[in-house]
Amino acid sequence: QQPVQSPQAVILREGEDAVINCSSSKALYSVHWYRQKHGEAPVFLMILLKGGEQKGHDKISASFNEKKQQSSLYLTASQLSYSGTYFCGTRALDGTSYDKVIFGPGTSLSVIP
Amino acid sequence: NAGVTQTPKFQVLKTGQSMTLQCAQDMNHNSMYWYRQDPGMGLRLIYYSASEGTTDKGEVPNGYNVSRLNKREFSLRLESAAPSQTSVYFCASLSSGADRNYEQYFGPGTRLTVT
């Protein structure tokens, strides 16, 4: 079952912060975050493998609450280059292969000057 | 290192025609995937292969078949194309996780239109 992402879309001014949420109805082994620019392939941002794990990549960080099957992506002091669609991918602890990665519908983020 | 390559980049088919989308990776990854992307629907998993010789259905497998020819190649076949299969198709491979990375690498995509 596809994870749920919120919000669907967000518009920011340069320098503002944003949070993108991802939740699943299934217990999760890992959460993956990707960014896709228009007309391009998704690009890996980070992976979170265990509960409470937080990762950072420049001014983009993420957390994973495995008890709630939720992950959040934090973008601070946004830059124009952050614009794109953000996807979370999940691997579930439901007896299927750990290699099965299912993606959410995406969150469109636009950063304006 | 070419990463993940896909052919063709663009294709137009008539309803009922068949075709095979090719994908290859040169990173020695075990797992490979086929996704389709439609506006507002995100990336939906069609089929995946956890290792050479194995394939499993994803979320939307109907109308497709796959073949894991060897460790490098994973092809997707549309036996009788339908307009509902108009989409962008992405192939991906997953790093092994020896360094706890588990990053998926995506190919550039194939834009398929079925008329």
Side-chain angles (χ1 to χ4, degrees):
Chain A
Q1 195 167 0
Q2 212 179 25
V4 176
Q5 287 187 235
S6 63
Q8 280 188 310
V10 60
I11 299 174
L12 299 173
R13 291 199 178 275
E14 265 187 299
E16 291 182 337
D17 302 339
V19 180
I20 299 172
N21 300 302
C22 174
S23 64
S24 174
S25 59
K26 298 185 176 185
L28 298 176
Y29 174 69
S30 65
V31 179
H32 312 222
W33 285 98
Y34 287 79
R35 177 170 60 208
Q36 185 180 31
K37 303 274 187 179
H38 184 69
E40 300 179 5
V43 173
F44 176 77
L45 292 175
M46 65 190 75
I47 180 173
L48 301 109
L49 278 171
K50 57 186 178 182
E53 184 174 19
Q54 298 189 15
K55 286 281 186 72
H57 178 75
D58 196 9
K59 293 179 181 176
I60 300 175
S61 61
S63 63
F64 177 25
N65 185 328
E66 68 175 310
K67 288 184 179 178
K68 293 185 177 181
Q69 293 111 243
Q70 293 175 347
S71 178
S72 295
L73 186 72
Y74 307 95
L75 299 95
T76 58
S78 59
Q79 307 166 17
L80 294 175
S81 62
Y82 286 2
S83 293
T85 302
Y86 290 78
F87 294 99
C88 68
T90 58
R91 290 193 290 168
L93 288 165
D94 60 356
T96 59
S97 168
Y98 283 158
D99 297 284
K100 184 177 183 181
V101 183
I102 302 292
F103 284 88
T107 294
S108 174
L109 186 140
S110 300
V111 181
I112 57 176
Chain B
N1 241 3
V4 179
T5 57
Q6 292 182 235
T7 56
K9 290 188 177 179
F10 301 93
Q11 184 72 47
V12 179
L13 292 178
K14 293 187 187 301
T15 297
Q17 287 184 320
S18 62
M19 78 161 295
T20 300
L21 280 63
Q22 306 285 354
C23 173
Q25 52 92 10
D26 61 1
M27 296 172 282
N28 202 38
H29 292 164
N30 287 321
S31 301
M32 297 185 72
Y33 305 78
W34 276 105
Y35 293 93
R36 61 176 288 175
Q37 186 171 35
D38 304 299
M41 299 294 291
L43 294 152
R44 291 186 291 171
L45 181 63
I46 305 172
Y47 272 93
Y48 68 103
S49 170
S51 62
E52 183 180 351
T54 67
T55 60
D56 285 288
K57 294 179 180 179
E59 302 169 275
V60 288
N62 291 344
Y64 305 95
N65 286 301
V66 290
S67 179
R68 185 72 183 270
L69 304 168
N70 47 56
K71 194 170 186 178
R72 288 188 64 249
E73 298 171 293
F74 189 37
S75 62
L76 178 73
R77 183 161 179 83
L78 288 72
E79 291 291 350
S80 179
S84 60
Q85 293 179 305
T86 293
S87 189
V88 179
Y89 292 84
F90 286 102
C91 176
S93 66
L94 183 72
S95 61
S96 65
D99 58 354
R100 296 175 64 77
N101 191 8
Y102 297 111
E103 176 178 347
Q104 267 183 316
Y105 293 79
F106 284 83
T110 295
R111 296 184 178 275
L112 176 68
T113 301
V114 183
T115 62

